[in-house]
Amino acid sequence: MTMITTTRERWAWAFYDWANSAFITTVMVAFFPIFFRQYWANDLPSEDITLRLGTANALASLSIMLLAPFLGTVADQGGIKKPMMAGFVTLGVCATLGLTLVGESQWQWAMFAFVLAVVGFLGANIFYDALLVDVAEEKDFNRVSALGYGLGYLGGGLLFALCVLLTLKPAWFGLADTITAVRWAFGVTAVWWALFSIPLWWWVRERAPVQAVRPPLFTLLRQSVTQLRETFRHIRQLRVVWLFLLAYWFYIDGVDTVILMSVDYGKALGFADDSLITALLITQFIAFPAALAFGWIGNRIGAKRGILVGLAGYVGITVMASQMTDAREFYLLAGAVGLVQGGVQALSRSLYASLIPQDQAAEFFGFYNMLGKFAAILGPLLVAWVGALTNSPRLGLLAVLLLFGLGAWLLWKVPRR
């Protein structure tokens, strides 16, 4: 059956990236690591703080790793990708608001709220990614996926810039001090995430499941368990799919680790907060046009080759970062990350969407997210433990090269179909 989609649907779908990227930029990458180190865990040694940050990210990723395939199967069986996505968005938004209530030295509560917020963010992305096949035809996957990441970097960058101004000049906004301003930054991020999710709920149409009537919940759960086993067998039989997933498992781990641990790495090297924030802004605004450019590159040379170009860039970035000595080099590396980060993510999503059965998109994307987040358990822990055991954050960072190398080698073996 030919699917007819509209430009409005594609833009509404892509605009969710604008909504949720504010969370990953402002909360996950920037303010939570800084505020955790300086306020919520200010009485702990530096190595313990890094270990707890890595553990928090790992716990959230482990939760999604265990739930993702089952959630995707339930969504496909019942035709409820959008309702299930809404549930996880609600969890993420409420937990982000919860961070505004955590007091000084209460690192346990901060970790708890942060883990719930990240689970909401990652869980919603399972269904958001799967909706790509509902809003675009295969020939448009690269372009539409890149549009989403491009809007995400732009929207995330704009809100992040606003929150930076909020914390640097709290008196301009009638706030008492920087601590109050950071709490407001978490609250504003939650509202932004919820508000700009609305276009997707209004305008994106989910493809109807095969059955005319949605089965009762218990029947749906039982069918989903059976279907999950069948999907796993199906993936094992589709060499192109499982080989891509294995490659993705390794290389996206390196990408996620660079994103999640970059601020803490800069803090461990002694860089000032304003240098780290400036670097993040550079990454965001360079990544916006770069992600759109990678959509064009993917159509010209193929998504697989486009991803390999991005991974080669990450190898160079990692080596240079391990030798970094001052903030100016951090700025250069931030710009380099911006050039490749969105491209690798966008083309990975579009390449995978072109390889899977489109009527089982949510469950196949469940496995996609499962492996991506399972890998994200290893990366932050690898950086944290190698850095702690060697007392050198630089050596911890270099461990990421193994992940990029294995991922690129396996991706090269993935056939076109």
Side-chain angles (χ1 to χ4, degrees):
M1 182 178 64
T2 302
M3 179 180 59
I4 300 175
T5 62
T6 66
T7 301
R8 185 175 67 177
E9 283 184 285
R10 291 191 283 272
W11 275 90
W13 176 87
F15 222 72
Y16 179 74
D17 251 311
W18 173 289
N20 76 343
S21 291
F23 171 80
I24 193 170
T25 305
T26 303
V27 178
M28 287 183 70
V29 178
F31 286 110
F32 183 83
I34 293 174
F35 208 56
F36 188 83
R37 180 174 288 272
Q38 296 183 348
Y39 184 73
W40 286 319
N42 55 6
D43 55 347
L44 298 177
S46 177
E47 294 79 9
D48 289 350
I49 294 172
T50 300
L51 182 60
R52 281 164 174 76
L53 283 171
T55 301
N57 282 301
L59 285 173
S61 298
L62 177 63
S63 301
I64 291 301
M65 181 205 75
L66 297 174
L67 291 173
F70 179 72
L71 292 173
T73 305
V74 170
D76 276 334
Q77 289 287 309
I80 51 174
K81 284 180 281 190
K82 283 179 64 178
M84 294 188 72
M85 180 180 170
F88 278 95
V89 170
T90 302
L91 172 64
V93 168
C94 291
T96 304
L97 286 173
L99 288 172
T100 66
L101 305 176
V102 181
E104 185 176 7
S105 300
Q106 295 180 338
W107 61 266
Q108 299 95 332
W109 285 108
M111 281 185 62
F112 177 72
F114 178 71
V115 168
L116 288 181
V118 175
V119 167
F121 171 81
L122 298 177
N125 280 351
I126 297 171
F127 310 105
Y128 171 62
D129 290 342
L131 285 168
L132 175 61
V133 303
D134 291 272
V135 300
E137 299 176 23
E138 184 176 343
K139 63 183 178 65
D140 296 320
F141 283 169
N142 289 336
R143 183 171 55 83
V144 176
S145 182
L147 175 63
Y149 274 105
L151 287 176
Y153 283 115
L154 181 59
L158 289 174
L159 182 69
F160 182 52
L162 173 62
C163 290
V164 169
L165 184 62
L166 190 72
T167 56
L168 293 179
K169 303 291 183 181
W172 289 5
F173 300 89
L175 302 178
D177 50 33
T178 301
I179 291 175
T180 304
V182 173
R183 295 181 185 279
W184 269 82
F186 291 136
V188 169
T189 301
V191 172
W192 178 286
W193 186 359
L195 180 64
F196 289 108
S197 299
I198 292 174
L200 186 147
W201 315 129
W202 277 354
W203 290 317
V204 170
R205 295 170 296 171
E206 181 177 349
R207 181 182 298 176
V210 175
Q211 62 264 42
V213 180
R214 183 181 301 167
L217 178 60
F218 179 78
T219 303
L220 180 60
L221 294 174
R222 181 165 47 81
Q223 290 176 350
S224 298
V225 172
T226 303
Q227 183 60 40
L228 183 60
R229 290 196 296 264
E230 292 301 318
T231 302
F232 184 70
R233 293 193 190 100
H234 196 183
I235 289 175
R236 291 176 59 191
Q237 294 168 358
L238 295 174
R239 179 178 180 271
V240 64
V241 174
W242 68 255
L243 189 57
F244 171 81
L245 287 173
L246 189 60
Y248 179 76
W249 179 11
F250 285 109
Y251 74 71
I252 206 64
D253 181 18
V255 173
D256 287 346
T257 301
V258 170
I259 294 171
L260 295 173
M261 304 300 286
S262 58
V263 169
D264 192 68
Y265 177 69
K267 290 293 292 181
L269 294 181
F271 295 160
D273 291 348
D274 57 351
S275 297
L276 302 176
I277 289 171
T278 301
L280 288 173
L281 286 170
I282 291 171
T283 299
Q284 289 298 118
F285 290 111
I286 290 180
F288 166 57
L292 299 179
F294 261 91
W296 177 83
I297 290 171
N299 284 340
R300 297 285 293 180
I301 68 173
K304 185 175 82 170
R305 288 191 176 92
I307 296 169
L308 290 170
V309 169
L311 295 181
Y314 264 112
V315 170
I317 289 165
T318 304
V319 173
M320 291 173 63
S322 70
Q323 307 299 318
M324 182 171 52
T325 57
D326 60 47
R328 288 175 299 178
E329 293 174 310
F330 199 59
Y331 298 154
L332 292 174
L333 290 172
V337 169
L339 288 174
V340 296
Q341 180 173 291
V344 170
Q345 295 168 319
L347 293 183
S348 297
R349 179 167 63 188
S350 60
L351 176 58
Y352 186 66
S354 70
L355 300 176
I356 62 175
Q358 295 189 7
D359 60 345
Q360 297 173 273
E363 57 194 272
F364 272 78
F365 267 106
F367 281 92
Y368 175 84
N369 281 275
M370 178 192 73
L371 290 182
K373 300 318 165 189
F374 178 72
I377 297 171
L378 175 63
L381 289 178
L382 187 63
V383 171
W385 280 105
V386 172
L389 292 174
T390 64
N391 201 28
S392 171
R394 299 180 188 276
L395 291 178
L397 183 65
L398 283 175
V400 177
L401 289 176
L402 177 65
L403 304 173
F404 287 131
L406 285 172
W409 176 66
L410 290 167
L411 181 64
W412 182 255
K413 293 178 173 292
V414 174
R416 291 182 180 271
R417 285 293 181 200

